[in-house]
């Protein structure tokens, strides 16, 4: 939106009544702000200007500038924070992380594509279509862009983390940022140390300008970089389910996985094709997940969540589950087969998003 220069129509000091209305609006849109924080964003006595601008596309935008920096902007009666505000309050919006090279594309006017989104070990933030979200860079919570989600989190995962994920509205280094003091993002460490992260993205999205993978604690195999079905399996075992139902340390999870791993003889593996071996691994992870992970109280369960948080964590450490290499090719076709065998029932509870609604734990193949 602010990629190109805009035209300033007016720049005036805010009136007392407008200031109070703005403060009430900000409190309603961002309820997580404390009264002290609200007073910092919209001070009652300090200088606060209203700047009316026209973007290069002819959009009318109202910018609120606190001192030197723009802190908020409003368009079509919707309020948005600027990166300057988010640097002080990074918790304000759900945040999605990406690689530094992607930032250059966003500054150039590109929207955020899902292959460039990093998937943390505990999963992506849960958002709905149109949810205002922040974009951060790996290992730094300081937002560098804001945008609106084009689809829900479940739909992103169901799409294999491919396609456009967010419409970008404002970025660090754009012309809105430039009317401020032009400061750089601060370094805000993660809320907790995360030993691993996975990424669903193209290889070129994961490389820095020198062609090297960015320094981080990631553990990635080149074959795990194309879509959600290729997540780093060993690291995903340590996922903490934020709902509080299951919290496993990496060692505990590894031990639980090893406890249920069936012994497949080398002789048997040698006699099977790679596709047959992948089918066997798929069955193994599927039935182990149903038997040892899924609880009846968790149904209905998104099929994408079942795959990512349950099946992947059941994969033996020395193997990787790649559904595209199985005879089913797609997870939906595999589930369709399991449904035909009356092992479970899948329904489309929301348009385009399937969920497991029923499981027959007494089925002979679940024994």
């Amino acid at each position: 939106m602010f990629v190109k220069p805009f035209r300033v129509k007016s720049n005036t000091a805010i009136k007392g009544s407008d200031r109070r209305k703005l403060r009430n609006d900000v409190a309603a849109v961002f309820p997580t702000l404390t009264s002290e924080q609200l007073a910092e964003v919209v001070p009652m006595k300090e200088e606060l200007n209203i700047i009316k601008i026209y973007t290069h596309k002819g959009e009318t935008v109202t910018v609120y500038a606190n001192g030197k920096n723009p802190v908020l902007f409003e368009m079509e009666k919707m309020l948005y924070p600027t990166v300057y505000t988010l640097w002080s309050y990074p918790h304000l919006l759900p945040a999605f992380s990406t690689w530094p090279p992607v930032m250059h594309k966003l500054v150039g006017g590109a929207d955020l594509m899902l292959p460039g989104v990093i998937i943390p070990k505990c999963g992506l933030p849960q958002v709905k279509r149109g949810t205002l979200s922040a974009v951060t860079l790996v290992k730094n919570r300081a937002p560098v862009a804001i945008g609106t989600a084009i689809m829900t989190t479940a739909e992103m995962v169901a799409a294999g983390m491919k396609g456009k994920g967010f419409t970008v509205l404002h970025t660090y280094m754009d012309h809105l940022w430039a009317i401020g003091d032009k400061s750089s993002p601060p370094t805000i460490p993660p809320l907790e140390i995360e030993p691993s992260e996975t990424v669903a993205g193209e290889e070129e999205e994961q490389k820095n300008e020198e062609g090297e993978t960015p320094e981080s604690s990631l553990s990635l195999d080149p074959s795990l970089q194309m879509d959600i079905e290729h997540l780093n399996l060993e690291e995903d075992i340590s996922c903490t389910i934020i709902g509080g139902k299951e919290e496993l340390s990496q060692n505990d999870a590894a031990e639980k996985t090893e406890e249920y791993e069936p012994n497949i003889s080398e002789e048997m593996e040698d006699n099977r094709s790679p596709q047959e071996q992948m089918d066997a691994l798929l069955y193994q992870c599927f039935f182990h997940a149903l038997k040892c992970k899924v609880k009846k109280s968790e149904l209905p369960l998104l099929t994408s969540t079942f795959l990512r948080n349950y099946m992947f964590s059941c994969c033996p450490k020395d193997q990787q589950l790649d559904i595209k290499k199985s005879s089913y090719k797609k997870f939906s076709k595999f589930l369709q087969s399991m449904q035909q065998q009356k092992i479970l029932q899948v329904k489309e509870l929301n348009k385009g998003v399937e969920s497991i609604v029923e499981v027959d734990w007494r089925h002979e193949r679940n024994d």
Side-chain angles (χ1 to χ4, degrees):
M1 181 180 295
F2 306 105
V3 176
K4 296 181 180 180
F6 47 74
R7 181 167 62 89
V8 177
K9 179 183 178 183
S10 63
N11 185 348
T12 58
I14 194 170
K15 296 178 181 179
S17 57
D18 290 336
R19 188 190 296 257
R20 287 190 292 273
K21 181 181 182 303
L22 176 62
R23 193 168 185 174
N24 290 335
D25 289 344
V26 172
V29 175
F30 307 111
T32 57
L33 286 175
T34 65
S35 56
E36 293 79 9
Q37 293 170 338
L38 189 59
E40 293 172 354
V41 177
V42 187
M44 291 306 295
K45 295 183 179 180
E46 295 177 20
E47 179 184 358
L48 187 65
N49 282 20
I50 300 179
I51 307 172
K52 302 282 187 178
I53 68 172
Y54 292 120
T55 69
H56 68 283
K57 290 185 177 180
E59 300 153 319
T60 303
V61 180
T62 301
V63 178
Y64 297 94
N66 179 356
K68 291 183 179 180
N69 295 327
V71 292
L72 301 160
F73 64 96
E74 184 177 8
M75 186 178 67
E76 296 181 352
K77 297 183 179 181
M78 292 290 294
L79 271 175
Y80 305 92
T82 66
V83 290
Y84 289 109
T85 298
L86 292 177
W87 292 342
S88 297
Y89 313 106
H91 66 282
L92 213 52
L93 301 177
F96 292 78
S97 188
T98 189
W99 298 105
V102 177
M103 180 61 206
H104 298 295
K105 296 182 180 181
L106 302 184
V107 172
D111 289 323
L112 180 59
M113 306 299 287
L114 291 177
V117 174
I118 297 171
I119 303 176
K121 64 172 184 176
C122 294
L124 297 169
Q126 296 299 310
V127 297
K128 299 178 181 179
R129 294 184 187 182
T131 298
L132 188 62
S133 306
V135 180
T136 65
L137 299 182
V138 64
K139 287 193 169 183
N140 189 355
R141 289 173 55 226
V144 293
I146 67 166
T148 54
I150 294 175
M151 59 183 80
T152 67
T153 303
E155 289 170 339
M156 294 178 192
V157 175
M161 296 304 287
K162 294 179 180 179
K164 185 183 295 186
F166 299 85
T167 299
V168 174
L169 303 174
H170 161 52
T171 70
Y172 159 61
M173 293 182 67
D174 68 8
H175 286 271
L176 179 60
W177 164 86
I179 67 173
D181 60 16
K182 299 183 180 180
S183 54
S184 298
T187 299
I188 306 176
L191 290 174
E192 56 185 47
I193 298 174
E194 296 190 0
S196 65
E197 290 171 321
T198 55
V199 60
E202 305 288 340
E203 185 172 353
E204 58 266 27
E205 291 288 350
Q206 301 171 355
K207 303 214 172 190
N208 61 22
E209 293 175 350
E210 289 73 34
E212 299 291 329
T213 301
E215 287 188 7
S216 67
S217 55
L218 307 184
S219 177
L220 293 175
D221 182 280
S223 64
L224 306 182
Q225 298 174 355
M226 291 309 294
D227 55 45
I228 193 67
E229 294 176 0
H230 297 144
L231 291 175
N232 183 302
L233 306 175
E234 181 178 357
E235 299 299 343
D236 200 56
I237 290 174
S238 63
C239 180
T240 300
I241 298 177
I242 295 179
K245 293 183 179 178
E246 182 177 1
E247 185 172 351
L248 299 175
S249 68
Q250 185 172 0
N251 291 336
D252 290 342
E255 289 172 4
K256 288 194 175 188
T257 302
E258 290 171 0
E259 181 181 347
Y260 293 103
E261 286 178 15
N263 294 319
I264 302 174
S265 68
E266 293 181 9
E267 206 176 87
M268 189 174 180
E269 287 191 295
D270 290 339
N271 293 331
R272 293 180 301 175
S273 68
Q275 188 178 80
E276 290 172 333
Q277 292 181 36
M278 188 57 65
D279 282 352
L281 181 59
L282 180 57
Y283 292 134
Q284 173 188 328
C285 295
F286 173 76
F287 288 110
H288 178 197
L290 283 185
K291 182 177 180 180
C292 306
K293 298 282 186 179
V294 178
K295 300 176 183 177
K296 188 174 183 178
S297 60
E298 294 174 321
L299 301 178
L301 179 67
L302 288 174
T303 57
S304 55
T305 300
F306 174 63
L307 173 65
R308 177 166 57 87
N309 289 351
Y310 294 79
M311 286 183 61
F312 280 164
S313 66
C314 294
C315 187
K317 293 187 296 182
D318 58 345
Q319 298 182 60
Q320 79 181 44
L321 180 60
D322 187 345
I323 297 176
K324 288 184 178 179
K325 294 181 180 178
S326 71
S327 61
Y328 296 95
K329 305 301 180 185
K330 293 182 179 180
F331 189 50
S332 58
K333 289 185 177 180
F334 172 75
L335 290 179
Q336 187 178 14
S337 173
M338 296 300 102
Q339 186 168 231
Q340 290 172 350
Q341 297 179 50
K342 302 187 183 302
I343 296 172
L344 50 70
Q345 187 175 356
V346 176
K347 285 187 178 180
E348 190 176 292
L349 299 181
N350 295 312
K351 188 176 180 181
V353 182
E354 293 187 331
S355 298
I356 298 172
V357 296
E358 189 177 333
V359 175
D360 182 5
W361 276 283
R362 295 185 179 181
H363 194 281
E364 58 182 10
R365 296 197 65 176
N366 270 325
D367 294 336

